[in-house]
Short mmCIF file of all heavy atoms in Angstrom, two decimals:
data_model
loop_
_atom_site.label_atom_id
_atom_site.label_comp_id
_atom_site.label_asym_id
_atom_site.label_seq_id
_atom_site.Cartn_x
_atom_site.Cartn_y
_atom_site.Cartn_z
N TYR A 1 0.87 -1.21 0.00
CA TYR A 1 0.03 0.00 -0.01
C TYR A 1 0.93 1.22 0.00
O TYR A 1 2.05 1.15 0.54
CB TYR A 1 -0.95 0.01 1.18
CG TYR A 1 -0.36 0.17 2.56
CD1 TYR A 1 -0.13 1.35 3.18
CD2 TYR A 1 0.16 -0.99 3.19
CE1 TYR A 1 0.48 1.47 4.39
CE2 TYR A 1 0.70 -0.98 4.44
CZ TYR A 1 0.91 0.34 5.01
OH TYR A 1 1.50 0.42 6.26
N VAL A 2 0.37 2.32 -0.66
CA VAL A 2 1.20 3.54 -0.74
C VAL A 2 0.30 4.75 -0.45
O VAL A 2 -0.93 4.75 -0.68
CB VAL A 2 1.72 3.70 -2.18
CG1 VAL A 2 2.77 2.66 -2.47
CG2 VAL A 2 0.68 3.73 -3.24
N ASN A 3 1.00 5.71 0.18
CA ASN A 3 0.34 7.05 0.37
C ASN A 3 0.73 7.93 -0.77
O ASN A 3 1.89 8.25 -1.01
CB ASN A 3 0.78 7.67 1.75
CG ASN A 3 0.22 6.95 2.87
OD1 ASN A 3 -0.85 6.49 2.88
ND2 ASN A 3 1.12 6.78 3.89
N ILE A 4 -0.25 8.21 -1.65
CA ILE A 4 -0.03 9.05 -2.83
C ILE A 4 0.04 10.49 -2.44
O ILE A 4 -0.99 11.04 -2.07
CB ILE A 4 -1.04 8.77 -3.96
CG1 ILE A 4 -1.06 7.35 -4.34
CG2 ILE A 4 -0.85 9.66 -5.17
CD1 ILE A 4 -2.09 6.96 -5.28
N GLY A 5 1.26 11.04 -2.48
CA GLY A 5 1.43 12.42 -2.06
C GLY A 5 1.38 13.44 -3.23
O GLY A 5 1.35 13.05 -4.39
N ALA A 6 1.34 14.76 -2.85
CA ALA A 6 1.36 15.77 -3.88
C ALA A 6 2.75 15.86 -4.48
O ALA A 6 3.73 15.85 -3.90
CB ALA A 6 1.00 17.07 -3.25
N THR A 7 2.81 15.86 -5.88
CA THR A 7 4.01 16.05 -6.59
C THR A 7 4.15 17.46 -7.18
O THR A 7 5.12 17.75 -7.91
CB THR A 7 4.02 15.03 -7.74
OG1 THR A 7 2.91 15.06 -8.50
CG2 THR A 7 4.21 13.61 -7.15
N ALA A 8 3.19 18.27 -6.96
CA ALA A 8 3.21 19.64 -7.45
C ALA A 8 2.40 20.52 -6.52
O ALA A 8 1.51 20.10 -5.79
CB ALA A 8 2.60 19.78 -8.88
N PHE A 9 2.71 21.82 -6.46
CA PHE A 9 2.05 22.76 -5.67
C PHE A 9 0.87 23.31 -6.47
O PHE A 9 0.92 23.64 -7.60
CB PHE A 9 3.04 23.92 -5.27
CG PHE A 9 2.39 24.94 -4.51
CD1 PHE A 9 2.13 24.82 -3.09
CD2 PHE A 9 1.81 26.13 -5.08
CE1 PHE A 9 1.58 25.90 -2.38
CE2 PHE A 9 1.12 27.15 -4.45
CZ PHE A 9 1.00 26.98 -3.07
N GLY A 10 -0.30 23.26 -5.82
CA GLY A 10 -1.49 23.89 -6.46
C GLY A 10 -2.80 23.38 -5.86
O GLY A 10 -2.78 22.66 -4.92
N ARG A 11 -3.82 23.96 -6.43
CA ARG A 11 -5.19 23.63 -5.88
C ARG A 11 -5.74 22.46 -6.59
O ARG A 11 -5.51 22.30 -7.79
CB ARG A 11 -6.11 24.85 -6.03
CG ARG A 11 -7.51 24.76 -5.56
CD ARG A 11 -8.21 26.09 -5.66
NE ARG A 11 -8.12 26.55 -7.00
CZ ARG A 11 -8.96 26.14 -8.01
NH1 ARG A 11 -10.00 25.32 -7.71
NH2 ARG A 11 -8.89 26.64 -9.30
N ILE A 12 -6.50 21.62 -5.93
CA ILE A 12 -7.08 20.42 -6.45
C ILE A 12 -8.30 20.93 -7.27
O ILE A 12 -9.25 21.52 -6.76
CB ILE A 12 -7.57 19.45 -5.44
CG1 ILE A 12 -6.48 18.89 -4.53
CG2 ILE A 12 -8.30 18.24 -6.03
CD1 ILE A 12 -6.78 18.06 -3.35
N THR A 13 -8.25 20.59 -8.60
CA THR A 13 -9.39 20.94 -9.50
C THR A 13 -10.38 19.86 -9.59
O THR A 13 -11.55 20.17 -9.86
CB THR A 13 -8.84 21.35 -10.81
OG1 THR A 13 -8.08 20.24 -11.42
CG2 THR A 13 -7.88 22.51 -10.72
N HIS A 14 -9.96 18.62 -9.44
CA HIS A 14 -10.94 17.52 -9.56
C HIS A 14 -10.43 16.26 -8.88
O HIS A 14 -9.22 15.95 -9.03
CB HIS A 14 -11.25 17.23 -11.01
CG HIS A 14 -12.54 16.43 -11.19
ND1 HIS A 14 -13.81 17.00 -11.11
CD2 HIS A 14 -12.74 15.10 -11.49
CE1 HIS A 14 -14.71 16.06 -11.35
NE2 HIS A 14 -14.02 14.81 -11.53
N LEU A 15 -11.34 15.56 -8.14
CA LEU A 15 -11.06 14.23 -7.64
C LEU A 15 -11.95 13.24 -8.35
O LEU A 15 -13.18 13.47 -8.39
CB LEU A 15 -11.38 14.19 -6.12
CG LEU A 15 -10.33 14.88 -5.19
CD1 LEU A 15 -10.94 14.87 -3.74
CD2 LEU A 15 -9.00 14.08 -5.17
N TYR A 16 -11.32 12.23 -8.85
CA TYR A 16 -12.04 11.25 -9.75
C TYR A 16 -12.42 10.00 -8.99
O TYR A 16 -13.15 9.18 -9.46
CB TYR A 16 -11.21 10.85 -10.89
CG TYR A 16 -10.95 11.93 -11.87
CD1 TYR A 16 -9.81 12.80 -11.75
CD2 TYR A 16 -11.83 12.28 -12.95
CE1 TYR A 16 -9.58 13.83 -12.63
CE2 TYR A 16 -11.64 13.34 -13.80
CZ TYR A 16 -10.49 14.06 -13.59
OH TYR A 16 -10.31 15.18 -14.55
N VAL A 17 -11.97 9.86 -7.72
CA VAL A 17 -12.30 8.68 -6.96
C VAL A 17 -12.65 8.99 -5.58
O VAL A 17 -12.50 10.17 -5.10
CB VAL A 17 -11.00 7.71 -6.87
CG1 VAL A 17 -10.65 7.17 -8.23
CG2 VAL A 17 -9.88 8.37 -6.19
N LYS A 18 -13.29 8.02 -4.88
CA LYS A 18 -13.63 8.17 -3.45
C LYS A 18 -13.26 6.93 -2.66
O LYS A 18 -12.82 5.89 -3.30
CB LYS A 18 -15.11 8.42 -3.28
CG LYS A 18 -16.02 7.37 -3.87
CD LYS A 18 -17.46 7.66 -3.76
CE LYS A 18 -18.36 6.60 -4.24
NZ LYS A 18 -18.15 6.25 -5.68
N GLU A 19 -13.31 6.95 -1.35
CA GLU A 19 -12.91 5.76 -0.57
C GLU A 19 -13.76 4.61 -0.88
O GLU A 19 -15.01 4.66 -1.10
CB GLU A 19 -13.07 6.07 0.97
CG GLU A 19 -12.10 7.18 1.41
CD GLU A 19 -12.17 7.30 2.91
OE1 GLU A 19 -12.82 6.54 3.60
OE2 GLU A 19 -11.59 8.41 3.41
N GLY A 20 -13.11 3.43 -1.05
CA GLY A 20 -13.73 2.24 -1.45
C GLY A 20 -13.76 1.94 -2.91
O GLY A 20 -14.16 0.75 -3.29
N ASP A 21 -13.32 2.77 -3.76
CA ASP A 21 -13.28 2.55 -5.21
C ASP A 21 -12.16 1.64 -5.56
O ASP A 21 -11.05 1.80 -5.02
CB ASP A 21 -13.21 3.85 -5.94
CG ASP A 21 -14.46 4.68 -6.01
OD1 ASP A 21 -15.54 4.20 -5.48
OD2 ASP A 21 -14.51 5.81 -6.43
N HIS A 22 -12.37 0.79 -6.56
CA HIS A 22 -11.30 -0.02 -7.09
C HIS A 22 -10.86 0.66 -8.40
O HIS A 22 -11.63 1.05 -9.22
CB HIS A 22 -11.83 -1.41 -7.42
CG HIS A 22 -12.13 -2.32 -6.29
ND1 HIS A 22 -11.18 -3.11 -5.59
CD2 HIS A 22 -13.28 -2.48 -5.45
CE1 HIS A 22 -11.66 -3.72 -4.56
NE2 HIS A 22 -12.94 -3.32 -4.43
N VAL A 23 -9.49 0.80 -8.52
CA VAL A 23 -8.99 1.49 -9.70
C VAL A 23 -7.96 0.60 -10.31
O VAL A 23 -7.37 -0.32 -9.77
CB VAL A 23 -8.31 2.85 -9.22
CG1 VAL A 23 -9.33 3.74 -8.63
CG2 VAL A 23 -7.19 2.54 -8.22
N LYS A 24 -7.70 0.82 -11.60
CA LYS A 24 -6.79 0.16 -12.48
C LYS A 24 -5.42 0.96 -12.56
O LYS A 24 -5.50 2.20 -12.37
CB LYS A 24 -7.33 -0.11 -13.88
CG LYS A 24 -8.51 -1.02 -13.89
CD LYS A 24 -8.17 -2.45 -13.54
CE LYS A 24 -9.34 -3.39 -13.63
NZ LYS A 24 -9.00 -4.82 -13.20
N LYS A 25 -4.42 0.28 -12.85
CA LYS A 25 -3.07 0.93 -12.97
C LYS A 25 -3.12 1.93 -14.07
O LYS A 25 -3.70 1.70 -15.21
CB LYS A 25 -2.01 -0.11 -13.32
CG LYS A 25 -0.60 0.50 -13.46
CD LYS A 25 0.37 -0.59 -13.71
CE LYS A 25 1.80 0.00 -13.85
NZ LYS A 25 2.80 -1.07 -14.20
N GLY A 26 -2.70 3.15 -13.79
CA GLY A 26 -2.64 4.21 -14.78
C GLY A 26 -3.90 5.08 -14.78
O GLY A 26 -3.97 6.16 -15.43
N ALA A 27 -4.94 4.75 -14.01
CA ALA A 27 -6.13 5.51 -13.99
C ALA A 27 -5.93 6.88 -13.33
O ALA A 27 -5.11 6.98 -12.34
CB ALA A 27 -7.25 4.75 -13.22
N THR A 28 -6.59 7.97 -13.83
CA THR A 28 -6.42 9.22 -13.21
C THR A 28 -7.21 9.36 -11.87
O THR A 28 -8.35 9.07 -11.87
CB THR A 28 -6.89 10.35 -14.18
OG1 THR A 28 -6.19 10.22 -15.40
CG2 THR A 28 -6.73 11.72 -13.57
N LEU A 29 -6.42 9.77 -10.86
CA LEU A 29 -7.01 9.83 -9.50
C LEU A 29 -7.45 11.26 -9.22
O LEU A 29 -8.52 11.48 -8.56
CB LEU A 29 -6.05 9.33 -8.42
CG LEU A 29 -5.48 7.94 -8.63
CD1 LEU A 29 -4.43 7.60 -7.60
CD2 LEU A 29 -6.63 6.93 -8.64
N ALA A 30 -6.63 12.26 -9.61
CA ALA A 30 -6.95 13.67 -9.25
C ALA A 30 -6.09 14.58 -10.11
O ALA A 30 -5.07 14.12 -10.74
CB ALA A 30 -6.66 13.94 -7.76
N THR A 31 -6.57 15.79 -10.35
CA THR A 31 -5.78 16.78 -11.13
C THR A 31 -5.67 18.06 -10.25
O THR A 31 -6.59 18.48 -9.56
CB THR A 31 -6.55 17.10 -12.45
OG1 THR A 31 -7.87 17.52 -12.13
CG2 THR A 31 -6.54 15.87 -13.33
N LEU A 32 -4.51 18.74 -10.45
CA LEU A 32 -4.30 20.03 -9.82
C LEU A 32 -4.31 21.14 -10.90
O LEU A 32 -4.23 20.82 -12.11
CB LEU A 32 -2.92 20.12 -9.11
CG LEU A 32 -2.68 18.97 -8.07
CD1 LEU A 32 -1.31 19.11 -7.49
CD2 LEU A 32 -3.71 19.00 -7.03
N GLU A 33 -4.46 22.42 -10.46
CA GLU A 33 -4.41 23.44 -11.44
C GLU A 33 -3.07 23.50 -12.15
O GLU A 33 -2.01 23.34 -11.49
CB GLU A 33 -4.68 24.82 -10.72
CG GLU A 33 -3.69 25.16 -9.61
CD GLU A 33 -4.02 26.50 -8.85
OE1 GLU A 33 -4.99 27.04 -9.28
OE2 GLU A 33 -3.33 26.75 -7.82
N ASN A 34 -3.13 23.72 -13.48
CA ASN A 34 -1.99 23.62 -14.30
C ASN A 34 -1.73 24.78 -15.29
O ASN A 34 -1.17 24.58 -16.41
CB ASN A 34 -2.01 22.27 -15.08
CG ASN A 34 -3.33 22.19 -15.94
OD1 ASN A 34 -4.09 23.12 -16.06
ND2 ASN A 34 -3.53 21.04 -16.55
N VAL A 35 -2.23 25.99 -14.92
CA VAL A 35 -2.12 27.07 -15.87
C VAL A 35 -0.73 27.39 -16.16
O VAL A 35 -0.32 27.55 -17.31
CB VAL A 35 -2.89 28.34 -15.23
CG1 VAL A 35 -2.70 29.52 -16.17
CG2 VAL A 35 -4.38 28.01 -15.09
N GLN A 36 0.13 27.54 -15.08
CA GLN A 36 1.49 27.97 -15.29
C GLN A 36 2.29 26.88 -16.01
O GLN A 36 3.03 27.24 -17.05
CB GLN A 36 2.15 28.27 -13.97
CG GLN A 36 3.59 28.81 -14.10
CD GLN A 36 4.17 29.23 -12.75
OE1 GLN A 36 3.50 29.18 -11.73
NE2 GLN A 36 5.46 29.55 -12.74
N PRO A 37 2.23 25.61 -15.64
CA PRO A 37 2.98 24.56 -16.36
C PRO A 37 2.50 24.50 -17.88
O PRO A 37 3.37 24.32 -18.75
CB PRO A 37 2.64 23.27 -15.66
CG PRO A 37 2.29 23.74 -14.32
CD PRO A 37 1.57 25.05 -14.40
N THR A 38 1.27 24.73 -18.13
CA THR A 38 0.76 24.64 -19.46
C THR A 38 1.36 25.79 -20.35
O THR A 38 1.71 25.64 -21.53
CB THR A 38 -0.76 24.69 -19.56
OG1 THR A 38 -1.30 23.57 -18.80
CG2 THR A 38 -1.30 24.65 -20.93
N SER A 39 1.35 27.02 -19.71
CA SER A 39 1.89 28.15 -20.49
C SER A 39 3.39 28.00 -20.74
O SER A 39 3.89 28.36 -21.77
CB SER A 39 1.67 29.45 -19.71
OG SER A 39 2.23 29.44 -18.46
N ILE A 40 4.08 27.37 -19.81
CA ILE A 40 5.56 27.18 -19.98
C ILE A 40 5.71 26.22 -21.14
O ILE A 40 6.70 26.39 -21.97
CB ILE A 40 6.15 26.68 -18.66
CG1 ILE A 40 6.13 27.83 -17.50
CG2 ILE A 40 7.61 26.20 -18.93
CD1 ILE A 40 6.68 27.40 -16.24
N VAL A 41 4.92 25.12 -21.18
CA VAL A 41 5.09 24.13 -22.22
C VAL A 41 4.81 24.89 -23.57
O VAL A 41 5.54 24.59 -24.54
CB VAL A 41 4.10 23.01 -22.02
CG1 VAL A 41 3.95 22.12 -23.26
CG2 VAL A 41 4.57 22.12 -20.83
N ALA A 42 3.79 25.69 -23.64
CA ALA A 42 3.47 26.34 -24.96
C ALA A 42 4.54 27.29 -25.36
O ALA A 42 4.91 27.35 -26.57
CB ALA A 42 2.17 27.15 -24.80
#
């Protein structure tokens, strides 16, 4: 078992799972705001 921690600083924009859900490898669990990283990439 693992504690999935924050890998970036930012506000949570969406949570895709809740306690008790079964998930597959690679499934999206949550997203953080990404305005600045997106603009840097562009």
Side-chain angles (χ1 to χ4, degrees):
Y1 65 95
V2 294
N3 291 322
I4 299 177
T7 53
F9 177 84
R11 182 176 54 85
I12 301 174
T13 58
H14 196 77
L15 283 173
Y16 294 92
V17 296
K18 59 183 183 299
E19 291 185 16
D21 286 352
H22 290 270
V23 297
K24 295 292 184 180
K25 181 179 180 180
T28 301
L29 305 176
T31 56
L32 304 181
E33 57 183 359
N34 56 6
V35 176
Q36 184 175 357
T38 301
S39 62
I40 293 176
V41 168

